């Protein structure tokens, strides 16, 4: 049986390289190709992150902190005409104790300016706190960036927040509808009510249309319009229909009396209504907000604030497409 050959250890002197110097071991130089690949990967990751941040910012998924002076509070005609003093005091106390919990919504106007869409009360409260305390923490506001497709969508976003958070008065709703039509955002009040308050029940949309008429007739004469109760507002509109001269008389009465508060103004209006001719009861039934239908022998009568050229065109197209034998 053959014996295995045994390997002998090296007996020659090893090369003396001297003592190992203290400190970290010298880095092994990376090949140039590896350096370029690593740099390219880092750059690609940074670019991807920047793109994701930009998309999140555009889509309103990233909260931004902006200086108060960068926000254009008057970018939109506000639906709320004034802020309740007690509500504002409570909001300011909450902001002072806990900070801003809910961002406002803004749209980018360019050149470092942002237009307010919703959150007017929070912005106003922060501005008051900044002026009163001088604390830097109140000088910035948390925002979500929105990109509404046109002014009508921006107004809708504002209305939806206020409808959910703090109920608007019927006068404020009617005023907003009237101004939206005046600005050319909608063809007529009925279209504006449908566009801005489409989720409201039909009865509420009908009342909003009535307050559009109230705003148009007496908006400049009323000193406390947001305090007018729903029932009184509808009675005023009915009186205006029955007596075309009522608006002028009411305006003159209010201008002469200069009521000091909402209660005094309401009493003046009620007194004037008692002297006005009784309004005739509306005929027919309401089939849509602002549209009443009355069936008479041989004809149908449509009436109301929602009756206009747009409805006439839609009805004409419907009748033209209808099969008379069907």
């Amino acid at each position: 049986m053959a014996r295995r050959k045994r390997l002998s250890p090296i007996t020659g002197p090893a090369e003396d390289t001297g003592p190992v110097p203290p400190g970290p071991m010298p880095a092994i130089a990376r090949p140039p190709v590896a350096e370029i690949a690593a740099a390219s990967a880092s750059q690609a990751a940074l670019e991807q992150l920047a793109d994701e941040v930009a998309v999140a910012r555009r889509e309103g998924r990233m909260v931004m902190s902006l200086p108060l002076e960068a926000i254009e509070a008057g970018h939109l005609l506000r639906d709320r005409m004034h802020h309740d003093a007690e509500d504002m005091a409570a909001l300011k106390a909450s902001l002072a104790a806990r900070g801003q919990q809910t961002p406002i919504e803004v749209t980018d106007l360019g050149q470092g300016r942002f237009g307010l869409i919703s959150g007017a009360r929070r912005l106003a409260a922060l501005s008051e706190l900044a002026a009163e305390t001088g604390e830097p923490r109140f000088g910035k506001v948390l925002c979500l960036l929105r990109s509404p497709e046109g002014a009508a969508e921006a107004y809708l976003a504002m209305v939806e927040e206020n409808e959910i958070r703090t109920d608007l008065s019927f006068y404020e709703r009617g005023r907003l509808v009237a101004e939206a039509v005046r600005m050319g955002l909608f063809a007529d009040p009925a279209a504006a009510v449908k566009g801005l308050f489409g989720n409201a029940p039909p009865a509420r949309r009908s009342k909003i249309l009535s307050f559009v008429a109230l705003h148009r007739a007496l908006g400049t004469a009323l000193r406390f319009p947001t305090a007018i109760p729903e029932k009184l507002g509808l009675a005023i509109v009915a009186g205006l229909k029955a007596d075309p001269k009522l608006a002028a008389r009411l305006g003159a009465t209010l201008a002469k009396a200069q009521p000091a508060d909402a209660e005094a103004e309401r009493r003046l209006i009620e007194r004037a209504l008692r002297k006005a001719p009784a309004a005739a009861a509306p005929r027919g039934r309401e089939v849509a907000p602002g549209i009443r239908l009355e069936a008479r022998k041989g004809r149908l009568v449509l009436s109301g604030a929602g009756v206009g050229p747009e409805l006439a065109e839609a009805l004409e197209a419907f009748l033209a497409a209808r099969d008379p034998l069907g």
Side-chain angles (χ1 to χ4, degrees), residues 7 24 39 44 55 58 64 67 89 113 122 147 157 213 254 258-259 277 282 297:
L7 297 176
V55 171
R58 282 196 309 271
M64 306 182 299
R113 307 297 297 169
R122 275 160 282 163
S147 301
L254 294 172
Q258 295 288 305
K297 188 176 181 179

Side-chain angles (χ1 to χ4, degrees), residues 64-69 71 83 88-89 91-104 116 118-143:
M64 306 182 299
S65 178
L66 297 174
L68 292 177
E69 55 269 22
I71 310 299
H83 302 300
M88 282 295 287
L91 178 57
K92 288 166 64 175
S94 173
L95 289 170
R98 303 174 60 238
Q100 184 185 350
Q101 301 297 307
T102 306
I104 67 172
L116 178 66
S118 65
R121 293 174 66 251
R122 275 160 282 163
L123 183 64
L126 284 170
S127 299
E128 290 183 15
L129 286 168
E132 292 166 3
T133 67
E135 294 184 30
R137 66 186 178 121
F138 298 127
K140 289 185 175 292
V141 57
L142 300 179
C143 309

Side-chain angles (χ1 to χ4, degrees), residues 40-284:
S40 298
S42 298
Q43 181 65 27
L46 287 174
E47 290 177 354
Q48 181 180 0
L49 177 61
D51 289 342
E52 290 176 355
V53 168
V55 171
R57 184 173 181 268
R58 282 196 309 271
E59 293 179 351
R61 294 185 285 110
M62 186 177 75
V63 178
M64 306 182 299
S65 178
L66 297 174
L68 292 177
E69 55 269 22
I71 310 299
E72 297 279 358
H75 172 61
L76 299 178
L77 170 75
R78 308 318 302 178
D79 48 2
R80 189 167 302 285
M81 297 179 66
H82 67 272
H83 302 300
D84 180 80
E86 290 185 4
D87 289 345
M88 282 295 287
L91 178 57
K92 288 166 64 175
S94 173
L95 289 170
R98 303 174 60 238
Q100 184 185 350
Q101 301 297 307
T102 306
I104 67 172
E105 294 181 322
V106 298
T107 186
D108 194 343
L109 302 178
Q111 298 182 340
R113 307 297 297 169
F114 297 84
L116 178 66
I117 294 178
S118 65
R121 293 174 66 251
R122 275 160 282 163
L123 183 64
L126 284 170
S127 299
E128 290 183 15
L129 286 168
E132 292 166 3
T133 67
E135 294 184 30
R137 66 186 178 121
F138 298 127
K140 289 185 175 292
V141 57
L142 300 179
C143 309
L144 289 173
L145 186 66
R146 301 299 189 204
S147 301
E149 296 180 0
E153 186 176 331
Y155 276 98
L156 176 59
M158 174 181 64
V159 167
E160 285 180 339
E161 173 174 301
N162 274 335
E163 286 289 294
I164 293 171
R165 294 184 178 277
T166 309
D167 204 23
L168 295 170
S169 69
F170 272 106
Y171 184 87
E172 287 170 316
R173 295 186 183 104
R175 167 182 169 269
L176 181 66
V177 167
E179 292 301 301
V181 174
R182 184 186 62 80
M183 294 164 64
L185 303 181
F186 298 93
D188 52 50
V193 168
K194 184 177 179 181
L196 295 175
F197 300 95
N199 293 325
R204 174 171 290 191
R205 296 203 300 268
S206 178
K207 292 171 184 175
I208 294 172
L209 276 173
S210 294
F211 274 81
V212 172
L214 174 59
H215 169 71
R216 286 178 167 177
L218 294 170
T220 57
L222 295 169
R223 296 167 64 87
F224 307 95
T226 60
I228 294 178
E230 172 191 331
K231 186 176 180 180
L232 178 58
L234 296 176
I236 295 172
V237 174
L240 293 172
K241 291 179 179 177
D243 182 5
K245 297 180 180 179
L246 177 61
R249 290 203 309 273
L250 262 178
T253 299
L254 294 172
K256 181 179 179 180
Q258 295 288 305
D261 53 38
E263 178 65 28
E265 183 172 77
R266 188 165 67 244
R267 285 197 301 267
L268 285 170
I269 294 172
E270 289 172 345
R271 192 179 304 126
L273 288 178
R274 285 195 294 269
K275 297 178 181 179
R283 304 182 68 172

